[in-house]
Amino acid sequence: MKKLIILSTICIAFVSCTVNEKPQFIGIENIKVLESTSKFVTFTADALFINPNDIGGELQTDDIKVFINDNEMASISTESFDVPAKKEFSIPLKTNIPTDSIFSNKSLGGLIGSLFSKKVKVQYKGDIKYKVLGFSYTYIIDKTEDVKIKF
């Protein structure tokens, strides 16, 4: 009888937890240069989410590509990120790109424009995957901003 009561309690608690929605992807924000040296430029951005569910899950970034002036420069892959329950949260996206790669001759027009304005077009493009209790969902990321570089 005790086992039946315990099992019933666990089932009711599990059923009352909401997992009926995936976390809401708000967008990519705060794309900026964290640091710039003669060798590397460190770009950062935040992927913002809201989780309406009573339980968390995990998010994983696999091969989010970073494009500078329409040229692929790097990819970001991180460890799994634990999703908090009933909260707004962000995932940091950070990458180091060699300075000479940014100002290479791949795109002469982009190079000349970037040298005069000291701005580059930064694009994050790829997928973030959400997993919880056998359920998964993929968020498609595609965000572009012009970012100023200081040397």
Side-chain angles (χ1 to χ4, degrees):
M1 187 65 163
K2 285 184 180 182
K3 289 181 183 180
L4 181 62
I5 293 171
I6 292 172
L7 184 59
S8 297
T9 305
I10 291 172
C11 287
I12 290 171
F14 185 72
V15 170
S16 68
C17 290
T18 58
V19 190
N20 53 358
E21 297 180 51
K22 64 187 184 301
Q24 180 184 4
F25 175 62
I26 298 169
I28 302 290
E29 292 186 354
N30 302 322
I31 296 176
K32 61 184 177 183
V33 174
L34 183 65
E35 180 182 13
S36 61
T37 66
S38 61
K39 295 186 188 253
F40 286 97
V41 178
T42 303
F43 291 93
T44 62
D46 296 318
L48 302 174
F49 292 86
I50 295 175
N51 184 11
N53 298 310
D54 290 327
I55 61 172
E58 68 179 32
L59 287 171
Q60 190 169 16
T61 59
D62 287 331
D63 289 333
I64 292 179
K65 308 282 187 216
V66 179
F67 294 85
I68 306 293
N69 293 336
D70 298 320
N71 295 307
E72 185 179 328
M73 295 290 168
S75 64
I76 300 171
S77 292
T78 62
E79 300 282 324
S80 293
F81 181 84
D82 290 330
V83 175
K86 293 237 180 231
K87 276 193 172 179
E88 185 175 321
F89 63 97
S90 66
I91 299 174
L93 304 173
K94 180 178 173 182
T95 187
N96 290 322
I97 299 176
T99 304
D100 58 351
S101 295
I102 295 172
F103 298 112
S104 71
N105 59 2
K106 285 184 181 178
S107 170
L108 190 57
L111 170 65
I112 292 170
S114 293
L115 287 175
F116 286 120
S117 68
K118 294 199 178 178
K119 284 189 175 183
V120 293
K121 183 170 96 175
V122 180
Q123 179 181 22
Y124 284 80
K125 192 172 187 175
D127 297 333
I128 296 178
K129 294 181 181 109
Y130 171 67
K131 295 179 185 176
V132 64
L133 302 174
F135 168 77
S136 67
Y137 183 80
T138 301
Y139 301 94
I140 298 170
I141 307 301
D142 190 355
K143 174 71 174 180
T144 305
E145 274 188 30
D146 288 333
V147 178
K148 189 171 186 172
I149 298 178
K150 296 178 186 177
F151 290 102

